[in-house]
Amino acid sequence: MASFHIKTYGCQMNVRDSEVLSNRLLALGYRLSENEEAADIIIVNSCSVRGKAEDKALGKIGLLCSERRIRPGLVVGLVGCMAQRLGSGVFNKVPGLSFCVGTRAEHLVPEILERAINGETGICETGEFTDSGTPPPEHPEFSGSGGCRAVTGFVTVLLGCDRRCTYCIVPDVRGHERSRSPQNVLEEVRGLYESGIRDVTLLGQSVMNYGKRGFSWPDGIPSPGGYNEPFPRLLEYIAGMLPSLKRIRFTSGHPCGVTDELVRAMASIPQICPHLHLPLQSGSDRVLARMRRGYNSGEYLNAVSKLRANVPGIAITTDIIVGFPGETESDFECTRRVMDEAGFDNSFIFKFSPRPGTPAALMPDDVDEEEKLRRNKVLLEDQDKRGQTINSSLIGSETNVLVEGPSLRNGNRWSGRNGQNKIVVFEPWDGISAGDFADMVITDAHPQTLFAERVTVKAGCP
Ligand code: SAH
Ligand code: SF4
Ligand code: F3S
Protein backbone atom coordinates (compact mmCIF):
# COMPACT_ATOMS: atom_id res chain seq x y z
CA MET A 1 0.00 0.00 0.00
CA ALA A 2 1.17 3.52 -0.78
CA SER A 3 2.90 5.66 1.85
CA PHE A 4 1.83 9.19 2.83
CA HIS A 5 3.33 12.21 4.52
CA ILE A 6 1.35 15.18 5.89
CA LYS A 7 3.00 18.60 6.15
CA THR A 8 1.06 20.85 8.53
CA TYR A 9 0.98 24.66 8.67
CA GLY A 10 -1.12 26.83 10.99
CA CYS A 11 -2.65 26.43 14.42
CA GLN A 12 -3.23 23.54 16.81
CA MET A 13 -6.57 22.86 15.17
CA ASN A 14 -4.74 22.01 11.97
CA VAL A 15 -2.29 19.84 13.91
CA ARG A 16 -5.21 17.91 15.25
CA ASP A 17 -6.95 17.67 11.87
CA SER A 18 -3.74 16.21 10.44
CA GLU A 19 -3.72 13.59 13.20
CA VAL A 20 -7.31 12.66 12.42
CA LEU A 21 -6.56 12.38 8.70
CA SER A 22 -3.42 10.38 9.42
CA ASN A 23 -5.36 7.93 11.59
CA ARG A 24 -8.03 7.56 8.90
CA LEU A 25 -5.43 6.73 6.28
CA LEU A 26 -3.55 4.33 8.59
CA ALA A 27 -6.83 2.51 9.28
CA LEU A 28 -7.26 2.03 5.52
CA GLY A 29 -3.83 0.41 5.24
CA TYR A 30 -1.76 3.34 3.95
CA ARG A 31 1.71 3.58 5.51
CA LEU A 32 2.93 6.71 7.29
CA SER A 33 6.24 8.07 5.99
CA GLU A 34 8.01 10.33 8.48
CA ASN A 35 10.20 11.36 5.61
CA GLU A 36 8.76 13.51 2.83
CA GLU A 37 11.30 12.30 0.25
CA ALA A 38 10.22 8.68 0.60
CA ALA A 39 6.45 9.24 0.43
CA ASP A 40 4.19 8.32 -2.52
CA ILE A 41 1.54 10.82 -1.38
CA ILE A 42 2.22 14.23 0.15
CA ILE A 43 -0.66 16.17 1.67
CA VAL A 44 -0.17 19.81 2.68
CA ASN A 45 -2.53 21.01 5.45
CA SER A 46 -2.68 24.77 4.95
CA CYS A 47 -3.44 27.94 6.91
CA SER A 48 -5.01 31.15 5.59
CA VAL A 49 -4.67 33.43 8.58
CA ARG A 50 -2.03 35.73 7.06
CA GLY A 51 -0.77 36.21 3.50
CA LYS A 52 2.60 34.73 4.48
CA ALA A 53 1.00 31.50 5.72
CA GLU A 54 -0.68 31.07 2.33
CA ASP A 55 2.52 31.88 0.44
CA LYS A 56 4.36 29.14 2.33
CA ALA A 57 1.80 26.46 1.48
CA LEU A 58 1.51 27.61 -2.14
CA GLY A 59 5.31 27.57 -2.48
CA LYS A 60 5.43 24.08 -1.02
CA ILE A 61 2.78 22.51 -3.28
CA GLY A 62 4.30 24.28 -6.32
CA LEU A 63 7.70 22.80 -5.54
CA LEU A 64 6.28 19.33 -4.93
CA CYS A 65 4.33 19.34 -8.21
CA SER A 66 7.47 20.33 -10.09
CA GLU A 67 9.30 17.37 -8.49
CA ARG A 68 7.04 15.06 -10.48
CA ARG A 69 9.58 15.26 -13.29
CA ILE A 70 11.89 13.14 -11.16
CA ARG A 71 9.19 11.47 -9.06
CA PRO A 72 6.54 10.32 -11.54
CA GLY A 73 3.30 9.20 -9.90
CA LEU A 74 3.78 11.43 -6.85
CA VAL A 75 0.36 12.49 -5.51
CA VAL A 76 0.29 16.05 -4.11
CA GLY A 77 -2.85 17.18 -2.29
CA LEU A 78 -3.92 20.34 -0.48
CA VAL A 79 -6.27 20.34 2.51
CA GLY A 80 -7.11 22.83 5.29
CA CYS A 81 -8.09 26.48 5.50
CA MET A 82 -6.42 27.73 2.32
CA ALA A 83 -7.92 24.84 0.36
CA GLN A 84 -11.33 25.92 1.67
CA ARG A 85 -10.71 29.57 0.74
CA LEU A 86 -9.25 29.09 -2.74
CA GLY A 87 -11.25 26.07 -3.89
CA SER A 88 -10.70 25.26 -7.56
CA GLY A 89 -8.93 28.65 -7.96
CA VAL A 90 -5.80 26.97 -6.60
CA PHE A 91 -5.39 24.97 -9.82
CA ASN A 92 -4.69 28.23 -11.72
CA LYS A 93 -1.87 28.95 -9.29
CA VAL A 94 -0.55 25.39 -9.10
CA PRO A 95 -1.42 23.40 -12.22
CA GLY A 96 -0.98 19.68 -11.78
CA LEU A 97 -2.05 19.61 -8.13
CA SER A 98 -3.81 16.28 -7.54
CA PHE A 99 -6.56 17.53 -5.24
CA CYS A 100 -7.81 20.43 -3.14
CA VAL A 101 -10.10 19.48 -0.24
CA GLY A 102 -11.47 22.11 2.17
CA THR A 103 -12.00 21.94 5.92
CA ARG A 104 -15.62 20.84 5.54
CA ALA A 105 -14.84 17.93 3.26
CA GLU A 106 -11.75 16.35 4.81
CA HIS A 107 -13.70 13.14 5.52
CA LEU A 108 -13.79 12.68 1.72
CA VAL A 109 -10.00 12.55 1.37
CA PRO A 110 -9.77 8.70 1.33
CA GLU A 111 -12.03 8.32 -1.73
CA ILE A 112 -10.47 11.33 -3.48
CA LEU A 113 -7.05 9.88 -2.81
CA GLU A 114 -7.96 6.68 -4.65
CA ARG A 115 -8.87 8.71 -7.73
CA ALA A 116 -5.65 10.70 -7.46
CA ILE A 117 -3.58 7.51 -7.20
CA ASN A 118 -5.21 6.41 -10.47
CA GLY A 119 -3.78 9.52 -12.11
CA GLU A 120 -6.63 12.04 -11.85
CA THR A 121 -5.58 15.65 -11.10
CA GLY A 122 -7.54 18.83 -10.37
CA ILE A 123 -10.07 17.17 -8.03
CA CYS A 124 -11.77 19.82 -5.87
CA GLU A 125 -14.14 19.39 -2.92
CA THR A 126 -14.96 22.18 -0.47
CA GLY A 127 -18.21 20.84 1.01
CA GLU A 128 -21.02 23.06 2.15
CA PHE A 129 -21.24 25.48 5.03
CA THR A 130 -24.64 24.65 6.43
CA ASP A 131 -26.16 26.62 9.31
CA SER A 132 -25.27 26.28 12.96
CA GLY A 133 -28.05 23.76 13.63
CA THR A 134 -26.16 21.05 11.78
CA PRO A 135 -24.35 18.69 14.12
CA PRO A 136 -20.58 18.86 13.75
CA PRO A 137 -18.77 15.97 12.15
CA GLU A 138 -17.67 13.79 15.03
CA HIS A 139 -14.14 12.48 15.00
CA PRO A 140 -13.82 9.30 17.02
CA GLU A 141 -10.22 8.88 15.91
CA PHE A 142 -7.52 9.94 18.28
CA SER A 143 -3.84 10.65 18.09
CA GLY A 144 -1.03 9.42 20.25
CA SER A 145 1.17 7.65 17.77
CA GLY A 146 3.68 10.49 17.52
CA GLY A 147 6.71 8.92 19.24
CA CYS A 148 8.44 9.80 22.48
CA ARG A 149 7.38 13.44 22.58
CA ALA A 150 3.68 12.62 22.29
CA VAL A 151 2.70 13.23 25.89
CA THR A 152 0.47 16.20 25.05
CA GLY A 153 -2.60 16.11 22.81
CA PHE A 154 -5.38 18.28 21.41
CA VAL A 155 -9.12 17.73 21.16
CA THR A 156 -11.33 20.15 19.21
CA VAL A 157 -14.50 20.81 21.21
CA LEU A 158 -15.82 23.83 19.31
CA LEU A 159 -15.52 24.02 15.54
CA GLY A 160 -15.81 27.28 13.59
CA CYS A 161 -16.19 30.82 14.89
CA ASP A 162 -19.04 33.34 14.96
CA ARG A 163 -17.21 36.36 16.27
CA ARG A 164 -16.15 37.83 12.95
CA CYS A 165 -13.36 40.11 14.12
CA THR A 166 -12.91 42.46 11.15
CA TYR A 167 -9.40 41.27 10.22
CA CYS A 168 -10.00 37.54 10.47
CA ILE A 169 -10.52 34.92 7.75
CA VAL A 170 -11.18 32.03 10.15
CA PRO A 171 -15.01 32.29 10.17
CA ASP A 172 -14.95 32.13 6.34
CA VAL A 173 -12.79 29.02 6.21
CA ARG A 174 -14.06 27.20 9.31
CA GLY A 175 -17.76 28.10 9.23
CA HIS A 176 -20.21 28.72 12.08
CA GLU A 177 -19.66 27.61 15.64
CA ARG A 178 -20.62 24.00 16.27
CA SER A 179 -20.12 22.29 19.63
CA ARG A 180 -19.38 18.60 20.00
CA SER A 181 -21.28 16.59 22.56
CA PRO A 182 -19.62 16.23 25.99
CA GLN A 183 -19.78 12.44 25.68
CA ASN A 184 -17.98 12.49 22.37
CA VAL A 185 -15.33 14.84 23.72
CA LEU A 186 -14.88 12.57 26.74
CA GLU A 187 -14.51 9.50 24.53
CA GLU A 188 -11.74 11.18 22.60
CA VAL A 189 -9.92 12.53 25.65
CA ARG A 190 -10.09 9.05 27.19
CA GLY A 191 -8.61 7.58 24.01
CA LEU A 192 -5.72 10.02 24.21
CA TYR A 193 -5.14 9.23 27.86
CA GLU A 194 -5.12 5.49 27.17
CA SER A 195 -2.53 6.02 24.43
CA GLY A 196 -0.16 7.76 26.87
CA ILE A 197 -1.15 11.43 26.58
CA ARG A 198 -0.87 13.17 29.95
CA ASP A 199 -1.74 16.78 29.09
CA VAL A 200 -4.83 17.49 26.97
CA THR A 201 -5.80 20.85 25.48
CA LEU A 202 -9.44 21.42 24.53
CA LEU A 203 -9.55 23.54 21.38
CA GLY A 204 -11.89 26.16 19.98
CA GLN A 205 -11.25 29.49 18.26
CA SER A 206 -13.09 31.15 21.11
CA VAL A 207 -13.38 28.08 23.27
CA MET A 208 -15.48 29.52 26.09
CA ASN A 209 -18.28 29.93 23.51
CA TYR A 210 -18.67 26.15 23.73
CA GLY A 211 -22.36 25.23 23.90
CA LYS A 212 -23.64 28.75 23.31
CA ARG A 213 -25.25 28.10 19.92
CA GLY A 214 -27.45 25.29 18.57
CA PHE A 215 -26.73 23.09 21.58
CA SER A 216 -28.34 21.98 24.80
CA TRP A 217 -26.49 20.25 27.59
CA PRO A 218 -27.58 16.57 27.60
CA ASP A 219 -29.92 15.36 30.35
CA GLY A 220 -28.34 12.93 32.74
CA ILE A 221 -25.00 14.69 33.22
CA PRO A 222 -25.36 16.62 36.47
CA SER A 223 -23.02 19.34 37.66
CA PRO A 224 -21.83 18.62 41.21
CA GLY A 225 -20.28 22.11 41.33
CA GLY A 226 -23.57 23.74 40.31
CA TYR A 227 -22.29 25.20 37.04
CA ASN A 228 -24.85 26.52 34.56
CA GLU A 229 -22.61 27.54 31.66
CA PRO A 230 -21.76 24.75 29.19
CA PHE A 231 -17.99 25.32 29.07
CA PRO A 232 -17.32 25.15 32.84
CA ARG A 233 -19.68 22.14 32.89
CA LEU A 234 -17.60 20.48 30.16
CA LEU A 235 -14.39 21.08 32.14
CA GLU A 236 -15.98 19.68 35.30
CA TYR A 237 -17.32 16.65 33.41
CA ILE A 238 -14.02 15.71 31.75
CA ALA A 239 -12.03 16.25 34.95
CA GLY A 240 -14.55 14.27 37.03
CA MET A 241 -14.73 11.32 34.62
CA LEU A 242 -10.94 11.12 34.18
CA PRO A 243 -9.50 11.87 37.61
CA SER A 244 -6.09 10.44 36.73
CA LEU A 245 -5.65 12.78 33.75
CA LYS A 246 -3.44 15.26 35.55
CA ARG A 247 -3.51 18.18 33.13
CA ILE A 248 -6.37 19.80 31.26
CA ARG A 249 -5.94 23.04 29.32
CA PHE A 250 -8.07 24.97 26.86
CA THR A 251 -7.40 27.55 24.17
CA SER A 252 -8.01 30.18 22.81
CA GLY A 253 -9.58 32.30 25.49
CA HIS A 254 -11.64 35.43 24.89
CA PRO A 255 -12.00 38.07 27.62
CA CYS A 256 -15.82 37.97 27.28
CA GLY A 257 -15.66 34.30 28.27
CA VAL A 258 -13.84 34.97 31.57
CA THR A 259 -17.05 34.66 33.59
CA ASP A 260 -17.30 34.08 37.35
CA GLU A 261 -18.15 30.43 36.66
CA LEU A 262 -15.14 29.97 34.39
CA VAL A 263 -12.83 31.50 37.01
CA ARG A 264 -14.39 29.32 39.72
CA ALA A 265 -13.85 26.22 37.58
CA MET A 266 -10.20 27.16 36.98
CA ALA A 267 -9.69 27.83 40.69
CA SER A 268 -11.39 24.72 42.03
CA ILE A 269 -10.80 21.89 39.54
CA PRO A 270 -7.26 20.74 40.36
CA GLN A 271 -6.47 19.27 36.94
CA ILE A 272 -7.02 22.57 35.11
CA CYS A 273 -3.62 24.11 34.49
CA PRO A 274 -2.87 27.65 35.68
CA HIS A 275 -2.39 29.02 32.17
CA LEU A 276 -4.62 30.92 29.77
CA HIS A 277 -3.91 32.18 26.27
CA LEU A 278 -6.03 35.33 26.12
CA PRO A 279 -5.48 37.27 22.88
CA LEU A 280 -5.55 41.05 23.46
CA GLN A 281 -4.86 42.06 19.80
CA SER A 282 -4.52 45.77 20.70
CA GLY A 283 -4.44 47.94 23.82
CA SER A 284 -6.15 50.88 22.08
CA ASP A 285 -9.92 51.10 22.55
CA ARG A 286 -10.27 52.82 19.19
CA VAL A 287 -8.46 49.98 17.42
CA LEU A 288 -10.28 47.29 19.42
CA ALA A 289 -13.60 48.78 18.28
CA ARG A 290 -12.45 48.82 14.64
CA MET A 291 -11.35 45.21 15.05
CA ARG A 292 -14.82 44.45 16.47
CA ARG A 293 -13.32 42.49 19.34
CA GLY A 294 -16.26 43.08 21.70
CA TYR A 295 -14.27 44.47 24.67
CA ASN A 296 -12.21 47.51 25.59
CA SER A 297 -8.84 47.61 27.32
CA GLY A 298 -10.43 48.18 30.77
CA GLU A 299 -12.64 45.10 30.39
CA TYR A 300 -9.65 43.09 29.23
CA LEU A 301 -7.61 44.14 32.27
CA ASN A 302 -10.56 43.33 34.57
CA ALA A 303 -10.61 39.80 33.18
CA VAL A 304 -6.87 39.53 33.88
CA SER A 305 -7.29 40.81 37.47
CA LYS A 306 -10.11 38.36 38.13
CA LEU A 307 -7.95 35.48 36.91
CA ARG A 308 -4.90 36.57 38.92
CA ALA A 309 -6.96 37.06 42.09
CA ASN A 310 -8.44 33.57 41.96
CA VAL A 311 -5.97 31.29 40.18
CA PRO A 312 -2.65 31.44 42.04
CA GLY A 313 0.42 31.75 39.82
CA ILE A 314 -1.59 31.79 36.58
CA ALA A 315 0.47 32.45 33.46
CA ILE A 316 -1.28 34.58 30.85
CA THR A 317 -0.11 34.70 27.22
CA THR A 318 -1.46 36.71 24.32
CA ASP A 319 -1.61 37.56 20.61
CA ILE A 320 -1.12 41.11 19.29
CA ILE A 321 -1.59 42.54 15.80
CA VAL A 322 0.60 45.54 14.96
CA GLY A 323 -0.13 47.95 12.13
CA PHE A 324 -3.89 47.41 11.98
CA PRO A 325 -5.41 50.01 9.56
CA GLY A 326 -5.40 53.43 11.21
CA GLU A 327 -3.16 52.37 14.15
CA THR A 328 -1.36 55.55 15.21
CA GLU A 329 1.76 55.89 17.33
CA SER A 330 -0.41 56.72 20.32
CA ASP A 331 -2.61 53.61 19.73
CA PHE A 332 0.60 51.60 19.64
CA GLU A 333 1.79 53.16 22.91
CA CYS A 334 -1.56 52.16 24.48
CA THR A 335 -0.82 48.56 23.46
CA ARG A 336 2.60 48.75 25.13
CA ARG A 337 1.05 50.07 28.35
CA VAL A 338 -1.75 47.50 28.49
CA MET A 339 0.73 44.68 27.80
CA ASP A 340 2.84 45.87 30.71
CA GLU A 341 -0.12 46.18 33.01
CA ALA A 342 -1.40 42.72 32.06
CA GLY A 343 2.09 41.30 32.73
CA PHE A 344 2.08 38.72 29.95
CA ASP A 345 4.30 35.68 30.38
CA ASN A 346 4.61 35.39 26.60
CA SER A 347 3.26 37.19 23.54
CA PHE A 348 2.89 36.30 19.88
CA ILE A 349 3.14 39.42 17.73
CA PHE A 350 1.80 39.53 14.16
CA LYS A 351 1.95 42.21 11.49
CA PHE A 352 -1.49 43.01 10.10
CA SER A 353 -2.13 41.19 6.85
CA PRO A 354 -5.27 42.10 4.85
CA ARG A 355 -7.34 39.01 4.16
CA PRO A 356 -9.56 39.02 1.07
CA GLY A 357 -13.25 39.44 1.86
CA THR A 358 -12.80 40.63 5.45
CA PRO A 359 -13.99 44.12 6.47
CA ALA A 360 -10.47 45.22 7.48
CA ALA A 361 -9.19 44.45 3.98
CA LEU A 362 -11.37 47.34 2.76
CA MET A 363 -9.82 49.76 5.27
CA PRO A 364 -6.69 51.57 4.03
CA ASP A 365 -3.63 49.47 4.99
CA ASP A 366 -1.91 52.71 5.97
CA VAL A 367 0.89 51.60 8.32
CA ASP A 368 3.82 50.91 6.03
CA GLU A 369 5.79 47.66 6.20
CA GLU A 370 8.84 49.26 7.80
CA GLU A 371 6.72 50.75 10.60
CA LYS A 372 4.93 47.44 11.14
CA LEU A 373 8.34 45.80 11.48
CA ARG A 374 9.52 48.42 13.96
CA ARG A 375 6.40 48.04 16.13
CA ASN A 376 6.74 44.28 15.98
CA LYS A 377 10.37 44.52 17.14
CA VAL A 378 9.58 46.95 19.96
CA LEU A 379 6.89 44.65 21.35
CA LEU A 380 9.20 41.64 21.13
CA GLU A 381 11.91 43.52 23.05
CA ASP A 382 9.39 44.64 25.69
CA GLN A 383 8.23 41.03 26.00
CA ASP A 384 11.76 39.73 26.38
CA LYS A 385 12.39 42.08 29.31
CA ARG A 386 9.03 41.28 30.87
CA GLY A 387 9.50 37.53 30.38
CA GLN A 388 12.97 37.72 31.94
CA THR A 389 11.68 39.61 35.00
CA ILE A 390 8.74 37.24 35.52
CA ASN A 391 10.82 34.09 35.03
CA SER A 392 13.74 35.34 37.20
CA SER A 393 11.29 35.89 40.05
CA LEU A 394 10.56 32.13 39.92
CA ILE A 395 14.18 31.11 40.64
CA GLY A 396 14.29 29.09 43.85
CA SER A 397 10.66 28.01 43.69
CA GLU A 398 9.39 24.50 43.00
CA THR A 399 7.45 23.45 39.93
CA ASN A 400 5.96 20.21 38.62
CA VAL A 401 7.19 19.21 35.16
CA LEU A 402 5.79 16.77 32.63
CA VAL A 403 8.83 15.25 30.91
CA GLU A 404 8.66 15.39 27.08
CA GLY A 405 12.06 14.14 25.89
CA PRO A 406 15.56 15.27 24.89
CA SER A 407 15.75 19.03 24.44
CA LEU A 408 15.52 20.08 20.79
CA ARG A 409 18.38 22.55 21.26
CA ASN A 410 20.75 20.40 23.27
CA GLY A 411 20.24 16.64 23.18
CA ASN A 412 22.25 16.12 26.40
CA ARG A 413 19.55 17.87 28.34
CA TRP A 414 15.87 17.06 28.46
CA SER A 415 12.86 19.33 28.48
CA GLY A 416 9.25 19.36 29.52
CA ARG A 417 6.54 21.82 30.50
CA ASN A 418 5.09 22.90 33.79
CA GLY A 419 1.43 23.66 34.48
CA GLN A 420 1.95 27.26 33.38
CA ASN A 421 3.00 25.88 30.00
CA LYS A 422 6.56 27.16 30.43
CA ILE A 423 9.36 25.15 28.87
CA VAL A 424 11.64 23.68 31.55
CA VAL A 425 15.13 22.33 30.68
CA PHE A 426 16.99 19.94 33.00
CA GLU A 427 19.62 17.16 33.25
CA PRO A 428 18.08 13.73 32.67
CA TRP A 429 18.39 10.97 35.28
CA ASP A 430 18.59 7.16 35.04
CA GLY A 431 15.32 5.61 34.02
CA ILE A 432 13.76 8.90 32.92
CA SER A 433 11.02 8.61 30.32
CA ALA A 434 8.61 10.84 28.47
CA GLY A 435 5.36 11.08 30.42
CA ASP A 436 6.99 11.15 33.89
CA PHE A 437 5.94 13.92 36.23
CA ALA A 438 8.78 15.36 38.31
CA ASP A 439 8.99 18.01 41.01
CA MET A 440 11.83 20.40 40.25
CA VAL A 441 13.42 23.48 41.70
CA ILE A 442 14.01 26.36 39.29
CA THR A 443 17.69 27.33 39.16
CA ASP A 444 17.92 29.76 36.24
CA ALA A 445 15.66 31.60 33.83
CA HIS A 446 15.56 33.03 30.32
CA PRO A 447 12.66 35.06 28.90
CA GLN A 448 10.99 31.94 27.48
CA THR A 449 12.71 29.07 29.25
CA LEU A 450 13.23 27.89 32.81
CA PHE A 451 16.15 25.70 33.94
CA ALA A 452 15.60 23.33 36.84
CA GLU A 453 16.91 20.45 38.96
CA ARG A 454 14.93 17.46 40.04
CA VAL A 455 13.72 17.28 43.63
CA THR A 456 11.86 13.96 43.69
CA VAL A 457 10.42 11.78 40.96
CA LYS A 458 6.83 10.70 40.93
CA ALA A 459 6.10 7.59 38.88
CA GLY A 460 4.48 8.21 35.51
CA CYS A 461 0.71 7.84 35.58
CA PRO A 462 -0.59 4.31 35.10
N1 SAH B 1 -9.32 32.35 17.60
C1 SAH B 1 -8.19 32.90 18.13
C2 SAH B 1 -7.14 33.30 17.14
C3 SAH B 1 -7.03 32.64 15.83
S1 SAH B 1 -5.92 33.31 14.69
C4 SAH B 1 -8.59 34.10 18.91
O1 SAH B 1 -9.53 34.77 18.59
O2 SAH B 1 -7.92 34.36 19.82
C5 SAH B 1 -4.43 33.51 15.65
C6 SAH B 1 -3.96 34.92 15.71
O3 SAH B 1 -3.59 35.38 14.42
C7 SAH B 1 -4.98 35.94 16.18
O4 SAH B 1 -5.10 35.97 17.56
C8 SAH B 1 -4.44 37.22 15.64
O5 SAH B 1 -3.53 37.82 16.54
C9 SAH B 1 -3.67 36.77 14.40
N2 SAH B 1 -4.36 37.19 13.17
C10 SAH B 1 -5.57 36.82 12.74
N3 SAH B 1 -5.87 37.43 11.58
C11 SAH B 1 -4.81 38.23 11.27
C12 SAH B 1 -4.51 39.11 10.20
N4 SAH B 1 -5.38 39.33 9.23
N5 SAH B 1 -3.32 39.74 10.21
C13 SAH B 1 -2.43 39.52 11.21
N6 SAH B 1 -2.66 38.70 12.24
C14 SAH B 1 -3.84 38.05 12.28
FE1 SF4 C 1 -10.85 35.12 14.26
FE2 SF4 C 1 -11.91 36.63 16.12
FE3 SF4 C 1 -12.88 34.20 15.67
FE4 SF4 C 1 -10.50 34.46 16.79
S1 SF4 C 1 -12.46 35.12 17.68
S2 SF4 C 1 -11.05 33.10 15.12
S3 SF4 C 1 -9.69 36.27 15.81
S4 SF4 C 1 -12.96 35.91 14.26
FE1 F3S D 1 -4.82 29.10 10.20
FE2 F3S D 1 -7.07 27.83 9.86
FE3 F3S D 1 -5.87 27.78 12.20
S1 F3S D 1 -6.59 29.82 9.06
S2 F3S D 1 -4.84 29.73 12.29
S3 F3S D 1 -5.08 26.92 10.36
S4 F3S D 1 -8.07 27.82 11.83
Side-chain angles (χ1 to χ4, degrees), residues 10-11 14 46-49 81 170 173-174 205:
C11 66
N14 260 16
S46 59
C47 171
S48 257
V49 80
C81 294
V170 171
V173 292
R174 291 272 175 178
Q205 294 298 341

mmCIF file of all heavy atoms in Angstrom, residues 10-11 14 46-49 81 170 173-174 205, ligand 3:
data_model
loop_
_atom_site.group_PDB
_atom_site.id
_atom_site.type_symbol
_atom_site.label_atom_id
_atom_site.label_comp_id
_atom_site.label_asym_id
_atom_site.label_seq_id
_atom_site.Cartn_x
_atom_site.Cartn_y
_atom_site.Cartn_z
ATOM 1 N N GLY A 10 0.014 26.225 10.279
ATOM 2 C CA GLY A 10 -1.118 26.828 10.988
ATOM 3 C C GLY A 10 -1.225 26.441 12.440
ATOM 4 O O GLY A 10 -0.245 26.047 13.070
ATOM 5 N N CYS A 11 -2.450 26.511 12.967
ATOM 6 C CA CYS A 11 -2.649 26.428 14.417
ATOM 7 C C CYS A 11 -2.845 24.981 14.894
ATOM 8 O O CYS A 11 -2.826 24.035 14.111
ATOM 9 C CB CYS A 11 -3.838 27.280 14.818
ATOM 10 S SG CYS A 11 -5.403 26.663 14.167
ATOM 11 N N ASN A 14 -5.245 22.708 13.150
ATOM 12 C CA ASN A 14 -4.739 22.015 11.965
ATOM 13 C C ASN A 14 -3.880 20.813 12.355
ATOM 14 O O ASN A 14 -3.922 19.774 11.700
ATOM 15 C CB ASN A 14 -3.899 22.981 11.113
ATOM 16 C CG ASN A 14 -4.686 23.521 9.940
ATOM 17 O OD1 ASN A 14 -5.912 23.433 9.915
ATOM 18 N ND2 ASN A 14 -3.996 24.079 8.964
ATOM 19 N N SER A 46 -3.051 23.354 5.083
ATOM 20 C CA SER A 46 -2.680 24.766 4.949
ATOM 21 C C SER A 46 -3.437 25.689 5.892
ATOM 22 O O SER A 46 -4.494 25.348 6.427
ATOM 23 C CB SER A 46 -2.979 25.196 3.518
ATOM 24 O OG SER A 46 -4.363 24.998 3.266
ATOM 25 N N CYS A 47 -2.882 26.890 6.058
ATOM 26 C CA CYS A 47 -3.443 27.942 6.910
ATOM 27 C C CYS A 47 -3.647 29.185 6.050
ATOM 28 O O CYS A 47 -2.869 29.443 5.138
ATOM 29 C CB CYS A 47 -2.454 28.222 8.040
ATOM 30 S SG CYS A 47 -2.864 29.667 9.045
ATOM 31 N N SER A 48 -4.683 29.960 6.379
ATOM 32 C CA SER A 48 -5.007 31.153 5.592
ATOM 33 C C SER A 48 -4.911 32.422 6.411
ATOM 34 O O SER A 48 -5.261 33.489 5.918
ATOM 35 C CB SER A 48 -6.465 31.053 5.113
ATOM 36 O OG SER A 48 -6.516 30.698 3.771
ATOM 37 N N VAL A 49 -4.447 32.330 7.651
ATOM 38 C CA VAL A 49 -4.669 33.433 8.582
ATOM 39 C C VAL A 49 -3.938 34.717 8.183
ATOM 40 O O VAL A 49 -4.447 35.813 8.405
ATOM 41 C CB VAL A 49 -4.364 32.988 10.039
ATOM 42 C CG1 VAL A 49 -2.883 32.989 10.350
ATOM 43 C CG2 VAL A 49 -5.140 33.809 11.034
ATOM 44 N N CYS A 81 -7.388 25.197 5.616
ATOM 45 C CA CYS A 81 -8.088 26.480 5.498
ATOM 46 C C CYS A 81 -7.873 27.156 4.146
ATOM 47 O O CYS A 81 -8.794 27.732 3.589
ATOM 48 C CB CYS A 81 -7.658 27.388 6.644
ATOM 49 S SG CYS A 81 -8.197 26.738 8.248
ATOM 50 N N VAL A 170 -10.805 33.340 9.598
ATOM 51 C CA VAL A 170 -11.178 32.031 10.155
ATOM 52 C C VAL A 170 -12.672 31.706 10.015
ATOM 53 O O VAL A 170 -13.030 30.603 9.582
ATOM 54 C CB VAL A 170 -10.676 31.883 11.619
ATOM 55 C CG1 VAL A 170 -11.239 30.622 12.270
ATOM 56 C CG2 VAL A 170 -9.157 31.861 11.650
ATOM 57 N N VAL A 173 -13.362 30.316 6.604
ATOM 58 C CA VAL A 173 -12.789 29.023 6.210
ATOM 59 C C VAL A 173 -13.147 27.879 7.168
ATOM 60 O O VAL A 173 -12.927 26.712 6.845
ATOM 61 C CB VAL A 173 -11.239 29.116 6.055
ATOM 62 C CG1 VAL A 173 -10.896 29.993 4.871
ATOM 63 C CG2 VAL A 173 -10.564 29.610 7.315
ATOM 64 N N ARG A 174 -13.700 28.245 8.330
ATOM 65 C CA ARG A 174 -14.061 27.199 9.308
ATOM 66 C C ARG A 174 -15.553 27.158 9.616
ATOM 67 O O ARG A 174 -16.001 26.302 10.384
ATOM 68 C CB ARG A 174 -13.281 27.417 10.608
ATOM 69 C CG ARG A 174 -11.792 27.154 10.494
ATOM 70 C CD ARG A 174 -11.518 25.698 10.771
ATOM 71 N NE ARG A 174 -10.134 25.351 10.562
ATOM 72 C CZ ARG A 174 -9.658 24.129 10.775
ATOM 73 N NH1 ARG A 174 -10.436 23.169 11.210
ATOM 74 N NH2 ARG A 174 -8.400 23.859 10.540
ATOM 75 N N GLN A 205 -11.783 28.156 18.593
ATOM 76 C CA GLN A 205 -11.249 29.488 18.261
ATOM 77 C C GLN A 205 -11.547 30.465 19.385
ATOM 78 O O GLN A 205 -10.747 31.341 19.699
ATOM 79 C CB GLN A 205 -11.834 29.996 16.945
ATOM 80 C CG GLN A 205 -11.418 29.191 15.738
ATOM 81 C CD GLN A 205 -9.918 29.221 15.520
ATOM 82 O OE1 GLN A 205 -9.220 30.088 16.025
ATOM 83 N NE2 GLN A 205 -9.413 28.248 14.785
HETATM 84 FE FE1 F3S B 3 -4.824 29.099 10.197
HETATM 85 FE FE2 F3S B 3 -7.065 27.830 9.860
HETATM 86 FE FE3 F3S B 3 -5.868 27.777 12.201
HETATM 87 S S1 F3S B 3 -6.589 29.823 9.059
HETATM 88 S S2 F3S B 3 -4.841 29.725 12.291
HETATM 89 S S3 F3S B 3 -5.080 26.923 10.362
HETATM 90 S S4 F3S B 3 -8.069 27.820 11.828
#
